[in-house]
Amino acid sequence: MGKTIYEGRYTTENDRGLVVFLIGIRINKRLAIRKWLPVFTAMPGMIRELYENQEELGFLSMENYFGLRTTVMITYWRSEDDLLAYSKGQKHLTAWKNFNRKIGDSDAVGIYHETYVVPEGRYEAIYGNMPVYGLAKAAGHMPVTREIRTAKKRLKTETN
């Protein structure tokens, strides 16, 4: 998260479609470190690759959360084609093969992902006294104006 706090209310651009991809792990057996640690340590290399090749890969930005057992990484992508292409890339395929080799059918660690394809104008956000964050980091950060002061007004619908 950025360090600069933007006082007041801000929102995000929503003039293009995007993909929100959530991925994470759940540590089911805390003492089975040799099972879950390789899953956990595979991510930094992929994150570095994403940021170093953002434009080429269609990766926009990400946020991470760590809980006691479960982590989630929220990523934002330019398109579903870009996300699917990355899933077939060398670094991801290598991590996936290593996961399957090391974990196999063990229930020591769980993994999950969710994909949301969001059309242009069908998402909105509000940020009050926050650094540039989440969707605003992915799609653009702008002040809330009178014309877009409510969630309904920020969403582009046929009735607006």
Side-chain angles (χ1 to χ4, degrees):
M1 192 178 303
K3 294 180 182 179
T4 302
I5 304 295
Y6 290 86
E7 292 181 23
R9 291 172 21 124
Y10 285 78
T11 189
T12 184
E13 297 282 353
N14 67 355
D15 58 352
R16 63 181 172 181
L18 56 80
V19 173
V20 182
F21 180 71
L22 286 65
I23 187 167
I25 67 169
R26 183 178 192 283
I27 298 169
N28 296 323
K29 295 184 178 177
R30 294 179 194 188
L31 298 179
I33 296 169
R34 64 182 174 81
K35 289 289 187 181
W36 59 259
L37 189 61
V39 178
F40 195 78
T41 59
M43 290 307 291
M46 287 187 280
I47 293 168
R48 189 170 29 263
E49 177 184 48
L50 291 170
Y51 275 109
E52 288 174 355
N53 302 284
Q54 271 184 280
E55 185 61 35
E56 175 189 337
L57 296 173
F59 170 74
L60 301 173
S61 72
M62 60 154 286
E63 303 292 346
N64 268 324
Y65 298 95
F66 300 94
L68 292 175
R69 286 185 177 259
T70 306
T71 69
V72 65
M73 184 169 68
I74 303 168
T75 62
Y76 302 92
W77 295 79
R78 184 175 51 209
S79 72
E80 59 194 288
D81 289 340
D82 289 325
L83 174 62
L84 293 172
Y86 184 75
S87 75
K88 293 175 178 24
Q90 185 61 43
K91 192 168 286 285
H92 177 265
L93 284 179
T94 299
W96 183 240
K97 286 176 187 174
N98 287 339
F99 169 81
N100 285 311
R101 184 174 44 81
K102 291 177 182 176
I103 303 303
D105 291 332
S106 170
D107 62 353
V109 62
I111 60 167
Y112 66 93
H113 81 248
E114 299 175 2
T115 306
Y116 304 94
V117 179
V118 189
E120 170 188 340
R122 301 303 299 160
Y123 56 95
E124 69 84 30
I126 191 76
Y127 308 94
N129 305 315
M130 289 280 294
V132 177
Y133 177 82
L135 274 169
K137 197 162 64 172
H141 185 245
M142 62 187 216
V144 171
T145 62
R146 181 180 184 90
E147 296 79 24
I148 55 171
R149 75 182 192 292
T150 67
K152 184 175 180 180
K153 289 182 177 184
R154 289 187 296 275
L155 287 167
K156 295 177 185 168
T157 63
E158 293 178 23
T159 59
N160 281 353

